[in-house]
Amino acid sequence: MQQRKMGADGPLISALGIGAMSFTDVYGPTDEAQSFALLDAALEAGVTHLDTANVYGRGRSETVIGNYLAARGAGTRERFHIATKAAIRAEDGRRWFDNSPEYLESELDKSLKRLGTETVDLFYVHRRDPDVPIEDVTGTLARLVESGKTRAFGFSEIAPSSLRRASAVAPVASVQSEYSLWTRGPELGLVQTCAELGTTLVAFSPVGRSMLTDHPIPKERLGECALLPEMPRFQEPNYAANMAIADEFRALAAEMGLPAAGLAIAWLLAQGEHIVPIPGTRSVDHFKEFVAGTKRALTPEDLARIEKVLPVGWAHGERYSKAQWVGPEIY
């Protein structure tokens, strides 16, 4: 497995991680046995980075990981690089973001308990509260590092300008953002700023929420997924248009001897040594398709062929609905 640094002075982690939202029912029914099988496959493949959050299944994702570490015994925790997140709050039908020191630390404490560990390797602010200066939030995160509860910190879905402000206070190990052939927005400055500052760009939804795979979620099953029905790209007429274009990518991947998901991962890894994709899945077979992408170094000619099939801006529809856009920084 390829290795990449987490942050400018951080540890080496696997170039491929696992997005652990899939350990919940967000993308369809799953259970602990499936998640355990996936984690076993990860260790076998040399995949060490796990990316979870307190809100994934209201703690279920973290609990599954904690149960796995306990079940597999001594030494298992040290084989993984574990990241979690906090800041999203919901109560009585209301949703907001809390970046206060008290809330972030209390949620991290709860995460540590569910994970069954004394420290995480990375703790993100899941969403910025625009009313709190990012310099203040960075100070809070730096103090959590000093406390020993996390070894490093990062932010999710922030703008390049916010990253620069935070990095002026303390080193930011990682920024998590949606990035793939389906979503190229980070190329408008985030990819470049992360590279300049030594910040790892952790790319979530790297296979376009299944659209860049050989088994995209069919229209009749979209209702099984909590997020997708709201997303404009999965609503008609966008869904049909996106499926038709992505069919060309699937055909290209087959011609190049890779699963479509593997080619999507290989493309991301070719965009910079500081990029770590974190696909999620409930299937070991699908996971192996992601791993296949880490074993293929794409040539300039390969990249040109992919760009011809999926040029920048090919996707029909916005990636988020109006409600889902509340929180991510637009730049």
Side-chain angles (χ1 to χ4, degrees):
M1 174 56 60
Q2 297 182 42
Q3 301 287 297
R4 297 196 165 182
K5 288 188 71 174
M6 173 54 73
D9 300 311
L12 288 173
I13 64 169
S14 56
L16 180 74
I18 293 177
M21 183 186 284
S22 58
F23 294 172
T24 72
D25 294 332
V26 169
Y27 287 106
T30 190
D31 57 32
E32 196 167 84
Q34 283 181 287
S35 299
F36 277 26
L38 192 64
L39 290 167
D40 284 339
L43 286 179
E44 183 178 349
V47 171
T48 59
H49 179 68
L50 303 180
D51 216 295
T52 185
N54 64 338
V55 296
Y56 293 169
R58 298 183 179 181
R60 178 179 168 186
S61 175
E62 292 175 326
T63 299
V64 167
I65 294 170
N67 290 345
Y68 177 85
L69 298 177
R72 294 298 183 263
T76 307
R77 166 65 183 94
E78 289 70 30
R79 298 179 69 184
F80 285 110
H81 181 273
I82 299 177
T84 194
K85 300 179 279 293
I88 300 175
R89 301 188 68 172
E91 189 175 309
D92 299 327
R94 189 168 67 93
R95 181 173 177 267
W96 73 102
F97 310 123
D98 192 338
N99 290 182
S100 66
E102 299 78 14
Y103 178 75
L104 291 176
E105 184 165 15
S106 67
E107 287 303 304
L108 178 54
D109 287 340
K110 294 174 188 175
S111 293
L112 292 173
K113 185 175 181 179
R114 286 189 288 265
L115 289 163
T117 185
E118 293 182 355
T119 186
V120 290
D121 299 289
L122 179 66
F123 181 59
Y124 300 95
V125 168
H126 206 161
R127 291 289 187 271
R128 269 202 67 199
D129 177 353
D131 294 328
V132 180
I134 198 167
E135 291 84 356
D136 294 350
V137 184
T138 304
T140 296
L141 295 170
R143 287 188 289 274
L144 289 175
V145 173
E146 292 172 1
S147 75
K149 294 180 180 181
T150 182
R151 295 188 174 102
F153 67 84
F155 293 88
S156 180
E157 299 252 56
I158 64 169
S161 56
S162 295
L163 173 57
R164 290 187 185 281
R165 288 172 57 191
S167 296
V169 176
V172 179
S174 175
V175 170
Q176 185 179 107
S177 184
E178 182 173 357
Y179 184 33
S180 70
L181 280 161
W182 164 258
T183 298
R184 303 278 291 268
E187 294 173 5
L188 295 174
L190 188 61
V191 172
Q192 298 88 337
T193 304
C194 284
E196 177 189 337
L197 298 175
T199 298
T200 300
L201 176 54
V202 173
F204 72 83
S205 297
V207 295
R209 304 181 192 275
S210 84
M211 190 61 72
L212 301 176
T213 74
D214 292 313
H215 30 74
I217 298 173
K219 187 176 179 179
E220 61 271 17
R221 286 187 48 224
L222 290 177
E224 297 177 10
C225 309
L227 297 174
L228 300 188
E230 290 184 51
M231 294 181 168
R233 291 182 179 180
F234 289 92
Q235 298 170 355
E236 293 295 3
N238 297 331
Y239 177 84
N242 289 329
M243 283 286 284
I245 298 170
D247 281 343
E248 299 179 45
F249 176 72
R250 285 182 269 278
L252 176 61
E255 186 178 331
M256 294 174 68
L258 277 175
L263 184 57
I265 294 297
W267 180 88
L268 265 174
L269 293 175
Q271 304 311 302
E273 290 293 321
H274 62 303
I275 295 171
V276 174
I278 52 166
T281 183
R282 295 167 291 153
S283 163
V284 170
D285 287 341
H286 295 174
F287 172 73
K288 290 178 180 178
E289 294 178 0
F290 305 145
V291 174
T294 69
K295 300 176 181 179
R296 178 72 167 266
L298 299 179
T299 66
E301 291 75 17
D302 293 331
L303 295 170
R305 294 178 72 190
I306 294 168
E307 193 76 21
K308 185 176 181 179
V309 170
L310 298 183
V312 177
W314 69 271
H316 290 239
E318 292 192 53
R319 71 181 179 102
Y320 282 154
S321 67
K322 184 176 180 180
Q324 292 166 334
W325 267 121
V326 176
E329 294 191 330
I330 300 174
Y331 55 93

